[in-house]
Amino acid sequence: PLSEITVQALSFKYPNADSYTINDIDLSIHSGETIAIVGENGSGKTTLVKLLLGIYHSTKGAICINGVNIELVCRQDLYRHIAFLSQEHTIYKLTLLENLMMGLKDENETTRMSESRIQNVLESVGLKKLLTDSWQDTNIGKEFGGIELSGGEIQRLAIARIILKDCEMVVLDEPTSAIDPIQEAEILTQFIELSRNKTSVIITHRIGICTQVDRIFVMKQGCICESGSHEELLA
């Protein structure tokens, strides 16, 4: 089980770059916490998360999961415990059900997934309108005689897929950029409620959701300049 992530003196520089994108970061993320990483564009938020996920390799320092250096952890084993929704998420020209089941651990898990759970998740992310009598066989994409989704609906569907994957840790990188702030607050609030007892990391440049998380890391120029709860940072 994934219980704690610790980061020690972490730095990262892109190949042939003159300066570090991530510079001497220390932090810890505990099991069951909901964390927000905020900062201006270019502050290093996405790069930090890709390092935490083992997608990038650190230039200096170490990331440990349950006390084990991430470089020694099999990526296939690691990703069984983590669900990641990037800014460049993909919706496939398949049926609605096939899109939702994409990324589940094995075929048995897909078979065990109840129809009522899938419907509840779709409703929770604001996609109740897709639940027609034949919703499971609804094709995505007009090329196959199906429906065309808006940018916001595609993001909602991607979030629903992440929730259904039911991993111990969930990482969302600007998951609602195509949704207006009011709807974003509703979806992320519902996501946090559905992800209780999971470790969640939400990267965002919008402050509203920060009132609902346990801790906030504020990034600036590749460093964590502040951390704490919403109330502590306001003070």
Side-chain angles (χ1 to χ4, degrees):
L2 193 157
S3 60
E4 184 171 36
I5 297 175
T6 56
V7 176
Q8 300 170 328
L10 181 70
S11 295
F12 175 79
K13 181 191 291 186
Y14 284 98
N16 303 318
D18 294 326
S19 58
Y20 284 93
T21 303
I22 299 296
N23 195 5
D24 198 27
I25 282 180
D26 293 290
L27 62 85
S28 61
I29 300 173
H30 308 295
S31 177
E33 277 192 309
T34 300
I35 300 294
I37 301 177
V38 302
E40 298 175 351
N41 289 338
S43 60
K45 303 186 300 294
T46 295
T47 301
L48 174 60
V49 164
K50 288 183 177 179
L51 287 162
L52 293 175
L53 294 170
I55 298 172
Y56 292 169
H57 299 280
S58 61
T59 306
K60 297 179 183 178
I63 299 170
C64 294
I65 297 177
N66 298 355
V68 179
N69 192 307
I70 195 172
E71 299 297 338
L72 304 177
V73 178
C74 171
R75 292 297 183 268
Q76 188 173 359
D77 291 337
L78 178 63
Y79 298 145
R80 287 195 185 100
H81 299 279
I82 300 176
F84 174 48
L85 178 58
S86 72
Q87 297 177 43
E88 300 85 21
H89 50 268
T90 301
I91 295 299
Y92 301 92
K93 303 297 184 179
L94 301 169
T95 67
L96 176 58
L97 182 61
E98 287 169 333
N99 266 284
L100 290 167
M101 296 297 99
M102 192 72 65
L104 292 187
K105 301 180 184 72
D106 54 53
E107 192 172 315
N108 290 331
E109 188 177 4
T110 302
T111 304
R112 291 194 303 268
M113 185 73 66
S114 70
E115 183 173 324
S116 61
R117 168 153 171 74
I118 297 172
Q119 291 176 331
N120 287 339
V121 170
L122 284 173
E123 287 185 26
S124 73
V125 297
L127 290 177
K128 184 177 181 179
K129 75 171 193 177
L130 299 183
L131 294 173
T132 61
D133 292 338
S134 57
W135 68 270
Q136 295 180 341
D137 300 318
T138 298
N139 285 312
I140 305 298
K142 289 185 178 179
E143 302 95 321
F144 302 99
I147 58 174
E148 200 69 38
L149 300 179
S150 67
E153 289 170 336
I154 288 172
Q155 289 192 327
R156 292 168 191 266
L157 188 58
I159 292 171
R161 182 196 298 157
I162 291 295
I163 294 171
L164 288 169
K165 191 176 179 185
D166 196 26
C167 289
E168 295 168 53
M169 181 174 178
V170 181
V171 181
L172 305 181
D173 185 0
E174 300 280 8
T176 50
S177 59
I179 302 173
D180 70 67
I182 295 175
Q183 294 183 62
E184 176 197 44
E186 293 174 355
I187 292 173
L188 289 181
T189 298
Q190 193 68 34
F191 167 79
I192 289 173
E193 186 60 37
L194 290 167
S195 301
R196 293 293 176 197
N197 303 317
K198 298 181 184 297
T199 306
S200 303
V201 178
I202 302 172
I203 307 166
T204 182
H205 63 275
R206 293 177 177 169
I207 302 300
I209 194 61
C210 294
T211 61
Q212 302 181 53
V213 305
D214 298 312
R215 282 193 297 153
I216 305 160
F217 294 115
V218 183
M219 293 196 67
K220 186 175 183 179
Q221 297 178 347
C223 301
I224 292 178
C225 58
E226 290 185 279
S227 66
S229 68
H230 180 68
E231 291 76 16
E232 287 169 344
L233 294 182
L234 280 179

